[in-house]
Amino acid sequence: MTGRRERVAGQSIRGSRIAAAIGVGILVGCIFAFLFPNGFLGSDPPQEHQSAKSAVQVSSSPCESPERVKMLKSELISLSEKNAELKKQVRDLNMKLQLAEQGKDQAQKQFLVLGNQHKAGTFGTVKALRTNPTVVPDESVNPRLAKILEKVAVEKELIVALANSNVREMLEVWFGSIQKVGIPNYLVVALDDETESFCKSKGVPVYRRDRDEGVDSVGRSGGNHAVSGLKFRILREFLQLGYSILLSDVDIVYLQNPFNHLYRDSDVESMTDGHNNMTAYGYNDVFDEPKMGWARYAHTIRIWVYNSGFFYIRPTIPSIELLDRVADRLSRQPNSWDQAVFNEELFFPSHPGYDGLHASKRTMDYYLFMNSKVLFKTVRKAANLSKLKPVIIHVNYHPDKLPRMKAIVECYVNGNQDALKAFPDGSEW
Ligand SMILES: *[C@@H]1O[C@H](CO)[C@@H](O)[C@H](O)[C@H]1NC(C)=O
Ligand SMILES: *[C@@H]1O[C@H](CO)[C@@H](O)[C@H](O)[C@H]1NC(C)=O
């Protein structure tokens, strides 16, 4: 504090000296102004000064203006970016609106959401893509089939079964049950002339492969497994035409309309060969190796296979890749079982030297889409399941297919409670 005060006192003395010097300066200046009114350094100093100043201005404006231009440019760019962004948002909103109006194509909506990069949401709110976008329909693949599907399909969906004359009686029970439920969108792919004319005579929508369509020699003469390989190739065309297919074997009885019981969120939605929650939906199967002592238990994951005789498949790239992979393997390994191949392609992960398929999949409810083991081993005996009304029953576990199909119709359609009783749980070899 004291130091500061001293300095202030010193400044005030110095200040008064400065004031005196300024006063003298002004006086001398006035005298010079009186004696030399044009200045004492020559005629044009003001002009020189002017030009020097303007030179500074000129040189300063090219120096200043690139910066301003740059700034303006970047402002312009950011504005037009904002504008484009807004336009894009409006476009996206319009598309979303259209899709919402069109209704139910979750896949496309999900695609729109995922089209842009996003930050991950907060814990528990993130969802990966499982409903893949559908392919653009390509009519040129098979214009004749495209015409048929236009007529038969409902909401771009239909049941499809392949049949030759070897399965004629089962086929009759099959479409009889479909007609009884009142399902309009189903189609038989006839692999021979007899089947075609049989379907026509019963008012059943039928599509006969042309003889020149290549893959049919198998269809006419082939055994079960050969027909299975053919199935995947023919299905591909349906998907390419943009249709979702509920592929159906003919040893199946329909009790309700399956299209009222689908989720439609996955590439493949399939019935299971499983018979309870664990086997149908997957479980932790512990493998025990006592020799390993402390580490004797190895955990495995296990699931009963999907039934390749009844699945719903959406027209997406992963779906088509699946069909191609299965068809390709069946043609290269003729003794392999199509259902095993179907499951391996669907479930095995990528590993060294192998790229796994990344298709999304959903297991159908095994009480609604029921296999014949569940029916004959469990359901027909359980009082608490007697009110259960399956959507379909697939006689896949029993070789005496036709009598069991007829009994199922007798029980579930005609209400004869005893119709299933005569059959053993399994087959008696
Ligand atoms: C089996 O799974 C279904 C569907 O996920 C569930 O509702 C039911 O409670 C499960 N039953 C048992 C016995 O765990
Ligand atoms: C039906 O009852 C059996 C026992 O008789 C039981 O094990 C089973 O979990 C029950 N199922 C359902 C769906 O309630």
Side-chain angles (χ1 to χ4, degrees):
M1 267 308 209
T2 38
R4 190 170 174 252
R5 230 182 260 141
E6 272 165 17
R7 227 185 303 147
V8 168
Q11 270 175 3
S12 77
I13 295 163
R14 216 181 298 143
S16 61
R17 280 190 196 145
I18 288 170
I22 287 172
V24 171
I26 288 170
L27 191 66
V28 172
C30 285
I31 292 162
F32 269 102
F34 181 71
L35 295 177
F36 309 100
N38 289 328
F40 69 140
L41 284 179
S43 56
D44 288 321
Q47 237 174 335
E48 253 180 43
H49 184 68
Q50 188 85 26
S51 78
K53 200 182 165 204
S54 78
V56 167
Q57 272 180 343
V58 167
S59 79
S60 90
S61 85
C63 197
E64 220 174 76
S65 72
E67 273 170 20
R68 271 193 69 76
V69 168
K70 245 190 244 165
M71 245 172 63
L72 285 171
K73 264 188 192 163
S74 75
E75 264 174 30
L76 200 68
I77 287 168
S78 84
L79 276 174
S80 60
E81 272 172 6
K82 270 181 197 155
N83 193 25
E85 175 71 13
L86 277 173
K87 272 189 188 161
K88 192 171 166 302
Q89 280 176 5
V90 168
R91 211 167 47 228
D92 285 356
L93 277 174
N94 276 337
M95 273 174 75
K96 277 182 191 167
L97 201 67
Q98 271 176 17
L99 282 167
E101 278 165 0
Q102 280 166 14
K104 55 173 191 163
D105 200 341
Q106 304 169 25
Q108 304 293 359
K109 273 186 229 160
Q110 221 176 342
F111 182 64
L112 274 179
V113 171
L114 291 165
N116 303 324
Q117 259 190 315
H118 284 268
K119 288 182 182 168
T122 54
F123 176 79
T125 64
V126 295
K127 268 200 174 168
L129 185 70
R130 65 180 61 70
T131 311
N132 288 309
T134 55
V135 296
V136 175
D138 181 3
E139 284 211 3
S140 69
V141 168
N142 189 334
R144 190 167 67 87
L145 180 58
K147 280 220 181 75
I148 295 174
L149 295 185
E150 234 168 72
K151 271 188 231 142
V152 174
V154 174
E155 309 253 349
K156 302 223 97 185
E157 296 179 325
L158 71 157
I159 299 168
V160 171
L162 273 67
N164 59 22
S165 46
N166 297 338
V167 296
R168 176 188 161 136
E169 285 175 297
M170 279 195 280
L171 183 64
E172 191 164 13
V173 180
W174 180 84
F175 65 66
S177 72
I178 287 177
Q179 290 169 339
K180 176 93 185 167
V181 174
I183 302 163
N185 46 333
Y186 70 107
L187 181 70
V188 172
V189 177
L191 301 176
D192 53 32
D193 294 336
E194 298 93 298
T195 306
E196 182 187 25
S197 50
F198 176 59
C199 287
K200 282 186 172 162
S201 73
K202 300 285 184 178
V204 170
V206 63
Y207 162 65
R208 174 81 170 99
R209 296 283 293 181
D210 282 341
R211 273 148 207 82
D212 59 6
E213 276 166 333
V215 282
D216 280 46
S217 59
V218 183
R220 262 170 274 130
S221 56
N224 263 351
H225 289 183
V227 171
S228 295
L230 176 70
K231 170 169 97 181
F232 296 98
R233 299 216 218 152
I234 294 179
L235 260 188
R236 184 191 217 278
E237 285 185 3
F238 286 78
L239 298 198
Q240 275 184 288
L241 294 173
Y243 290 85
S244 295
I245 301 302
L246 186 57
L247 180 102
S248 178
D249 281 353
V250 294
D251 52 348
I252 289 176
V253 176
Y254 287 74
L255 302 170
Q256 298 184 60
N257 189 333
F259 293 109
N260 298 335
H261 299 271
L262 297 175
Y263 285 79
R264 298 180 176 85
D265 64 348
S266 304
D267 295 313
V268 176
E269 190 171 343
S270 177
M271 79 170 287
T272 171
D273 274 4
H275 54 270
N276 56 21
N277 278 16
M278 282 169 66
T279 57
Y281 307 145
Y283 66 106
N284 174 15
D285 189 24
V286 181
F287 174 80
D288 184 10
E289 199 173 356
K291 262 201 312 201
M292 289 302 295
W294 177 78
R296 63 184 288 177
Y297 301 115
H299 293 257
T300 72
I301 47 174
R302 213 163 162 202
I303 187 166
W304 262 228
V305 290
Y306 279 5
N307 190 293
S308 61
F310 189 87
F311 58 87
Y312 177 77
I313 187 163
R314 297 181 65 251
T316 65
I317 293 295
S319 297
I320 293 171
E321 188 184 351
L322 171 68
L323 298 178
D324 287 358
R325 290 167 75 125
V326 174
D328 177 57
R329 265 188 64 189
L330 291 175
S331 71
R332 285 187 293 107
Q333 306 161 0
N335 292 326
S336 53
W337 182 31
D338 72 308
Q339 180 158 288
V341 171
F342 180 75
N343 278 273
E344 287 170 12
E345 293 298 332
L346 207 45
F347 286 97
F348 283 172
S350 300
H351 54 256
Y354 177 79
D355 290 333
L357 179 73
H358 294 275
S360 56
K361 48 236 169 221
R362 165 180 285 281
T363 310
M364 288 173 169
D365 184 322
Y366 62 90
Y367 280 139
L368 295 182
F369 298 89
M370 193 183 288
N371 62 57
S372 57
K373 176 152 88 181
V374 171
L375 176 65
F376 285 98
K377 243 189 80 182
T378 316
V379 170
R380 67 169 170 163
K381 300 170 189 170
N384 54 2
L385 296 174
S386 66
K387 293 250 158 54
L388 194 73
K389 178 109 180 181
V391 176
I392 60 120
I393 297 174
H394 188 178
V395 187
N396 61 321
Y397 270 107
H398 299 90
D400 48 344
K401 291 173 185 295
L402 187 61
R404 288 194 194 240
M405 284 176 80
K406 286 180 172 166
I408 288 165
V409 172
E410 190 58 23
C411 174
Y412 282 99
V413 180
N414 302 333
N416 179 356
Q417 302 286 322
D418 298 330
L420 301 177
K421 289 201 172 138
F423 296 92
D425 285 5
S427 66
E428 292 169 326
W429 286 105

